[in-house]
Amino acid sequence: MSTGHRPNVIVRFREVTVVKPGIPAEPTDPAAHPTSETAHPTAQPSAAAPRRRVEPAAHPVASAAPAGLVLAALGVVFGDIGTSPLYALQTVFALDHGRVKATTADVYGVISLVFWSVTLIVSVKYVSVIMRADNDGEGGVMALAALARNAVHSPRRSGAVIVLAILGASLFYGDCVITPAISVLSAVEGLKVSAPSLGDLVLPVSLTILTILFAGQRFGTQRVGALFGPVMAVWFAALAAAGLRETLAHPGIVRALSPTYAVGFIADHPVTAFVAMGAVVLCITGAEALYADMGHFGRAPIRRAWFAIVFPALTLNYLGQGALILHQPSAISSPFFLLLPSWSRLPMVVLATAATVIASQAVISGAFSVSRQATQLGLLPPLTVRQTSASAAGQVYLPAINGILLLGVLLLMVGFRTSQRLATAYGVAVTGALLIDTILLLVVARSLWRWATWKLVAAAVLFGGVELTFFTANLSKIAHGGWLPLLIATAVFTVMTTWQRGREIVTRNRTEIEGPLSAFVEEVRVRKIVRVPGTAVFPHPTADTTPLALRANVDYNSVLHNNVVVVSAHAANVPHVAPQDQIVLDDLGHDDDGIIHITLTYGFADEPNLPEALRRACLDPYIASDVDPEGALYFVSRATLRRTSGPGMRRWRKALFIGLAHNAADRANFFGLPMDRTVVMGSNIDV
């Protein structure tokens, strides 16, 4: 290190996109430490410490035109909700062997329920209100939970917010399994209408399409992504045209847009209306995607696409299907495809299949993003993350998640075989996720936005009341398939909470072994330890304790490199960390012992890279010139976990935690460390 005492120095760097595997919140053995900021106090400079900025030349950032963003949003954001006309009304009129009749009162009532459900939940709640909850440009249940967690000051309430986030993510995974299956099946089932002799091919064709889709995930979506927007634009144009044709033929159906028909339907047939609500919810599936994908496209393009294209097209198509059912009751068997002229049904099957593949792709990509965020927040074990685009940091591929989803989707399709049967299992996950979003929204509105009490009550009644009705109505389907998303959510919830709790236990036990880093530094200064040339980097989550690999190197080998760098990386409770706050340098109180500490802070939507952080930190003139980031050796501490009978978790959960840790991603690959310069040193830790 340089001579002459110096205080702590903060070095600020611009954020860059690095084509590397994602780095978790914990740059050491992933089973060893949690990742929250409260659990990882980092070395902070003194208040009087001078601060310097290192500002590389700014690079111009290309921005797409608004029209281009609107088109791109069509291809990603609205795939799920845009394909719901394929099966939503068909499912409503198939409930309980025709409980909902093809009468004027029932048809008008159902269309009114559909229209006002979409208006209230999608147009008002998500597009107009919840998208205001902008967490550094990001949306989704994780980002919303981060806002809510920052808004509350009670540890108990903060813990409750985290539990809601975990539960919301768990329900999302259930949705990720069901959406590709029901979407593709409902599209290919159009063969039964356009070419009845090909009906037996529906399931094999659907299985083949989804197998190819999942197999192609490793290549990324960049090449085909440019086609998504135009295809969905054609899709929504076809929806609008088909619905407009039937609506013009029977204009009286427009009266169904009045809310009085929904109220009358509920008042006259409360039981039937309650059952119908369990299927009406299918028309708002994918609503949460509008908020979750806000970070990719921005608020304005999504709103423009919704109000200018998607909402009108959906409304016209549902009106057309309602008019068709009213004047041709036999059309309830497949109102979407029977709405079309016979010559256009087979081409529409092809277009619908393309649209549902795009909808499935959006859900799969969402699962990758949520999984990476959950990993960086310490809710899932480290997973192998592969960047599939050199320019888009959000395009990633997680082989483990892809394989699990593929297996789940194929088993689901073979087990249920038709989209109508799958529809009974669909609503529970969707409505549960909607309710969680509403609860978190109310927390944010009360604590951050300072809403008046009457506004909070109105939102709770309007949004929460409708969604609670949807959720309750779908609970009646548990015995008929609704158990499936609940089972998936329970499994994911168990994994996440077990991993989170197990890391807390291991952190406590490991801290006792590591000992304070400050005491170790003082020990190095008084002991005669052989110093060897070179730079040794020890990834470690905190500046409070000593990396096990560093202690072992001194205790057993009595050797220390001339330059020792302890690097801590952890995720902040925000999607992105400002460039000037990403890297902090600390000499740990001495400038002549050759030991420094670097803190790398990043958001849960960022993609950090330890070698890149070291290279940038070495630009600071206070770091010794012989610190070699290109030739540095990385010493990774790896814990061998031993299950004990100690308190904290049941034995089966300890076994699950150890199994998750054992099958976690390879440390060097996961951290983006160079394989040829990484040394793994193990130690035993009790669980």
Side-chain angles (χ1 to χ4, degrees):
M1 300 295 149
S2 60
T3 59
H5 182 73
R6 61 177 175 84
N8 301 338
V9 178
I10 294 182
V11 185
R12 307 179 186 274
F13 297 101
R14 289 194 180 276
E15 185 177 18
V16 296
T17 299
V18 182
V19 187
K20 284 282 190 177
I23 309 300
E26 144 65 36
T28 179
D29 180 42
H33 301 272
T35 59
S36 66
E37 290 184 76
T38 55
H40 292 327
T42 57
Q44 297 295 332
S46 63
R51 299 189 174 193
R52 306 189 316 105
R53 292 177 181 268
V54 177
E55 299 284 357
H59 296 283
V61 180
S63 58
L69 285 178
V70 170
L71 188 62
L74 278 180
V76 176
V77 177
F78 302 103
D80 195 357
I81 195 170
T83 54
S84 57
L86 282 165
Y87 48 80
L89 286 188
Q90 178 184 352
T91 303
V92 171
F93 286 93
L95 288 171
D96 290 352
H97 306 289
R99 176 186 287 269
V100 182
K101 307 296 183 181
T103 63
T104 300
D106 284 11
V107 171
Y108 277 33
V110 168
I111 297 300
S112 184
L113 279 175
V114 168
F115 175 76
W116 286 103
S117 295
V118 174
T119 298
L120 183 63
I121 302 302
V122 184
S123 296
V124 178
K125 174 189 166 182
Y126 278 97
V127 178
S128 301
V129 178
I130 203 171
M131 287 182 68
R132 292 177 52 207
D134 180 347
N135 191 352
D136 197 17
E138 292 291 328
V141 66
M142 290 290 184
L144 185 60
L147 280 177
R149 188 182 183 189
N150 290 336
V152 299
H153 304 290
S154 166
R156 177 177 295 182
R157 292 180 180 178
S158 179
V161 167
I162 292 299
V163 171
L164 284 175
I166 295 174
L167 184 57
S170 301
L171 290 170
F172 175 74
Y173 282 107
D175 187 15
C176 290
V177 174
I178 298 177
T179 294
I182 191 174
S183 298
V184 174
L185 269 175
S186 61
V188 181
E189 282 172 351
L191 288 173
K192 295 180 180 179
V193 178
S194 58
S197 61
L198 301 178
D200 293 338
L201 296 178
V202 169
L203 184 59
V205 170
S206 300
L207 292 172
T208 301
I209 290 173
L210 285 175
T211 300
I212 295 173
L213 175 63
F214 278 94
Q217 293 301 309
R218 68 184 64 188
F219 303 110
T221 59
Q222 189 174 22
R223 293 182 179 178
V224 296
L227 298 175
F228 285 3
V231 170
M232 292 307 295
V234 173
W235 169 254
F236 285 116
L239 289 184
L244 181 62
R245 173 176 173 268
E246 192 69 23
T247 301
L248 291 177
H250 306 284
I253 192 65
V254 176
R255 295 197 300 268
L257 298 182
S258 171
T260 57
Y261 287 100
V263 174
F265 180 57
I266 295 173
D268 295 338
H269 310 286
V271 176
T272 300
F274 180 77
V275 174
M277 290 286 277
V280 169
V281 71
L282 296 175
C283 70
I284 58 175
T285 58
E288 65 279 5
L290 279 69
Y291 177 49
D293 287 321
M294 184 170 62
H296 295 286
F297 304 101
R299 187 185 311 166
I302 293 176
R303 284 180 173 173
R304 291 172 186 169
W306 171 254
F307 285 114
I309 300 173
V310 182
F311 190 27
L314 292 177
T315 300
L316 282 172
N317 196 265
Y318 284 126
L319 285 173
Q321 289 190 47
L324 177 66
I325 292 172
L326 190 59
H327 295 87
Q328 187 181 331
S330 61
I332 61 174
S333 61
S334 184
F336 178 83
F337 286 102
L338 291 175
L339 187 64
L340 303 163
S342 57
W343 62 266
S344 65
R345 290 170 186 168
L346 189 57
M348 194 63 170
V349 170
V350 177
L351 180 60
T353 302
T356 54
V357 166
I358 292 172
S360 302
Q361 176 62 62
V363 171
I364 296 169
S365 299
F368 292 161
S369 298
V370 169
S371 299
R372 183 172 67 169
Q373 292 182 15
T375 297
Q376 293 177 341
L377 289 173
L379 301 177
L380 283 177
L383 301 168
T384 299
V385 180
R386 297 176 184 170
Q387 192 75 28
T388 60
S389 171
S391 58
Q395 293 190 16
V396 294
Y397 167 61
L398 282 70
I401 299 299
N402 191 66
I404 292 173
L405 287 179
L406 172 59
L407 179 62
V409 168
L410 295 183
L411 290 176
L412 200 64
M413 294 176 72
V414 172
F416 284 81
R417 304 187 72 82
T418 68
S419 62
Q420 185 174 331
R421 293 177 183 173
L422 269 174
T424 62
Y426 202 17
V428 178
V430 173
T431 54
L434 294 178
L435 270 174
I436 289 173
D437 282 351
T438 296
I439 294 172
L440 294 175
L441 171 64
L442 292 176
V443 173
V444 171
R446 179 180 182 272
S447 302
L448 290 183
W449 298 345
R450 305 297 181 185
W451 274 15
T453 302
W454 70 268
K455 284 187 176 181
L456 293 172
V457 172
V461 172
L462 289 176
F463 304 149
V466 172
E467 291 164 353
L468 184 60
T469 303
F470 281 143
F471 182 73
T472 306
N474 277 278
L475 290 180
S476 62
K477 303 178 184 178
I478 289 180
H480 304 286
W483 54 268
L484 180 64
L486 294 180
L487 178 63
I488 296 173
T490 300
V492 176
F493 186 87
T494 301
V495 168
M496 287 187 172
T497 54
T498 298
W499 183 258
Q500 185 184 45
R501 178 56 182 154
R503 288 166 63 89
E504 294 174 358
I505 295 174
V506 171
T507 296
R508 181 191 63 210
N509 296 338
R510 180 168 179 162
T511 300
E512 296 177 358
I513 300 175
E514 292 172 336
L517 180 58
S518 58
F520 177 82
V521 172
E522 295 298 331
E523 179 185 348
V524 168
R525 289 174 56 80
V526 300
R527 285 180 56 182
K528 293 183 179 180
I529 300 175
V530 177
R531 306 297 289 258
V532 297
T535 300
V537 181
F538 296 87
H540 194 60
T542 175
D544 288 350
T545 60
T546 308
L548 288 176
L550 176 58
R551 181 174 292 279
N553 214 22
V554 172
D555 290 345
Y556 298 109
N557 300 326
S558 298
V559 167
L560 198 63
H561 287 76
N562 284 336
N563 298 297
V564 175
V565 182
V566 180
V567 183
S568 299
H570 61 94
N573 198 30
V574 294
H576 303 286
V577 172
Q580 65 269 21
D581 296 324
Q582 290 177 352
I583 297 177
V584 176
L585 302 183
D586 182 14
D587 61 9
L588 301 175
H590 303 282
D591 64 342
D592 58 354
D593 55 11
I595 303 176
I596 63 171
H597 180 267
I598 297 177
T599 300
L600 172 63
T601 306
Y602 58 93
F604 57 74
D606 291 332
E607 189 173 358
N609 181 276
L610 266 61
E612 178 67 17
L614 180 61
R615 283 191 289 268
R616 290 184 170 274
C618 286
L619 295 174
D620 181 65
Y622 286 101
I623 293 183
S625 59
D626 58 342
V627 174
D628 179 17
E630 304 302 329
L633 295 177
Y634 292 84
F635 291 84
V636 177
S637 304
R638 180 167 188 172
T640 300
L641 304 178
R642 298 180 301 191
R643 187 175 64 169
T644 68
S645 57
M649 283 196 303
R650 295 183 179 274
R651 290 183 62 85
W652 69 267
R653 292 188 69 191
K654 290 184 178 182
L656 173 60
F657 174 76
I658 293 173
L660 292 171
H662 179 73
N663 290 282
D666 179 75
R667 303 288 77 75
N669 287 337
F670 192 80
F671 303 148
L673 305 181
M675 295 293 294
D676 58 340
R677 292 186 281 118
T678 300
V679 179
V680 178
M681 304 185 71
S683 58
N684 295 322
I685 303 292
D686 293 336
V687 181

